[in-house]
Amino acid sequence: MADKQNTILQVQNLHTHFFTESGVIRALRGVDFSVERGKVLGVVGESGCGKSVTAQCIMNMLPGSGRIVEGKITYYRRDSADSRTEAIDITSLPPRGRAMRAIRGNEIAMIFQEPMTSLDPVYTVGSQLMEAITLHQTVTRQQGKEIAIDALAKVNLPEPARILDAYPHQLSGGQRQRVMIAIALSCNPTLLIADEPTTALDVTTQAQILDLMRALQEETQMSIIFITHDLGVVAEMCDDVAVMYLGKVVEQTDVDTTFHNPKHPYTRALLRSIPRLTSDDKSRLNVIKGRVPDPSVVPSGCAFHPRCPEMIPGLCETHTPEVLTLNGNKQQVRCLLYDDKLMAKSSSPIALAEAR
Ligand SMILES: Nc1ncnc2c1ncn2[C@@H]1O[C@H](COP(=O)(O)OP(=O)(O)OP(=O)(O)O)[C@@H](O)[C@H]1O
Ligand SMILES: [Mg+2]
């Protein structure tokens, strides 16, 4: 499904480790996915599977002891004048260097889960918004102020001129999240990364923010990487979906295929765990058995095998699944069940022993 002409970002075999005093944490163990131009990619998976670390790698902002030890993140920058595309490997750029600063916050912007941690409490909303605007555009103070008011009006904040003079703590959670979106969008990014942007909000405000983001996406045709726990949000927001498990993407395809023809047992288990409101369904919510293992002790073979309802003894704990392309070119999946050669061999125990 990765059509190079239309791909804006491609992550290949990304391995990221944290070198801590108590040992190495292998947070990403070979992440592969791609984002199409003008599309919304949902990234889902249980807590700790590496969603935020992936976002930090793309922004080239890994904290503390984090290092990319292998892999590539290619950003396909398109020149608006002649539509030529230049491939830039983000992992090769120094995090604080000029080239990276030109991309970060300018072409690729990010919205974080909790706006209070990314808005500075001692500065007004206006000064933080103006700082973002003047970083990327040469404007007079008055022009900057007008752009800031426009940006706040665009995210449906009432009385933008008043909000400009407010401090973050004087705003509600939903208002702060709108300010964050306004800051992220003030530079017209081509790719926006939204890491759980509505998790901290009540359901009504969450629905409003999602509507707003989708409308702004349609208007500007930016691409979005939308990180969330919530498959309901994925169904509403996303065109494509990447499902992560323990530092790898185990399945990527379009949103319809994800919901109607999922292939990976983990994707299927996630879908079964969505609560349903049908009156005749009194069964308990399905939860995936077991816990996500600690990334310092990753299970052998397929890392999902200890929790997998379809695990094949003698195969899944010994063989590491590669990415397989199914369904035309539409679906990428890391699961041995779809490895025809291995499955043919696995029907004979002798052949299976040979394959090991
Ligand atoms: N700064 C850090 N130092 C050490 N380990 C880290 C650091 N940040 C993340 N990790 C580890 O990397 C792994 C992936 O973390 P990450 O924050 O990407 O998970 P996530 O998928 O975003 O989870 P959540 O849904 O809870 O936000 C976890 O095991 C986490 O403990
Ligand atoms: Mg996270």
Side-chain angles (χ1 to χ4, degrees), residues 111-260:
I111 313 174
F112 298 86
Q113 176 173 353
E114 178 36 67
M116 263 328 253
T117 56
S118 29
L119 286 172
D120 194 325
V122 300
Y123 292 102
T124 62
V125 164
S127 61
Q128 297 184 58
L129 189 49
M130 297 274 278
E131 192 188 332
I133 292 165
T134 51
L135 201 63
H136 308 289
Q137 303 174 48
T138 321
V139 288
T140 64
R141 234 195 112 63
Q142 188 52 36
Q143 284 168 327
K145 194 169 171 183
E146 281 162 22
I147 297 173
I149 290 178
D150 274 358
L152 293 176
K154 208 171 181 177
V155 295
N156 298 338
L157 276 165
E159 298 184 76
R162 185 182 63 79
I163 301 249
L164 220 50
D165 293 326
Y167 288 89
H169 72 270
Q170 295 171 319
L171 304 178
S172 71
Q175 287 173 324
R176 283 198 288 264
Q177 199 54 287
R178 283 172 203 262
V179 169
M180 282 305 300
I181 297 172
I183 291 177
L185 296 187
S186 63
C187 58
N188 292 324
T190 39
L191 174 63
L192 178 70
I193 305 175
D195 189 356
E196 308 264 11
T198 57
T199 311
L201 304 173
D202 64 81
V203 282
T204 316
T205 315
Q206 170 171 345
Q208 289 169 351
I209 299 271
L210 293 178
D211 283 351
L212 170 72
M213 287 186 68
R214 191 76 226 202
L216 292 171
Q217 190 274 330
E218 273 165 23
E219 186 189 323
T220 61
Q221 283 299 304
M222 66 185 161
S223 308
I224 302 182
I225 297 177
F226 200 100
I227 296 173
T228 178
H229 281 100
D230 189 335
L231 282 161
V233 170
V234 167
E236 193 177 324
M237 286 293 293
C238 303
D239 301 297
D240 297 305
V241 185
V243 179
M244 285 188 74
Y245 187 76
L246 209 60
K248 286 189 184 185
V249 170
V250 295
E251 182 155 9
Q252 181 176 0
T253 185
D254 60 79
V255 70
D256 283 345
T257 311
T258 303
F259 281 88
H260 298 117

Side-chain angles (χ1 to χ4, degrees), residues 77 93-104 106-107 136:
R77 174 194 271 152
L93 302 179
R96 289 174 217 283
R98 217 171 132 172
M100 192 61 228
R101 281 185 289 130
I103 294 175
R104 190 194 302 125
N106 202 357
E107 297 191 39
H136 308 289

Side-chain angles (χ1 to χ4, degrees), residues 16-20 23 25-28 43-56 62-66 113 195-196 227-229 244 246-247 292-296:
T16 301
H17 297 173
F18 289 93
F19 296 88
T20 68
I25 297 171
R26 292 174 172 79
L28 305 185
V43 177
V44 289
E46 288 163 291
S47 189
C49 67
K51 304 182 296 293
S52 296
V53 171
T54 303
Q56 288 159 354
L62 269 177
S65 64
Q113 176 173 353
D195 189 356
E196 308 264 11
I227 296 173
T228 178
H229 281 100
M244 285 188 74
L246 209 60
V292 181
D294 186 328
S296 53

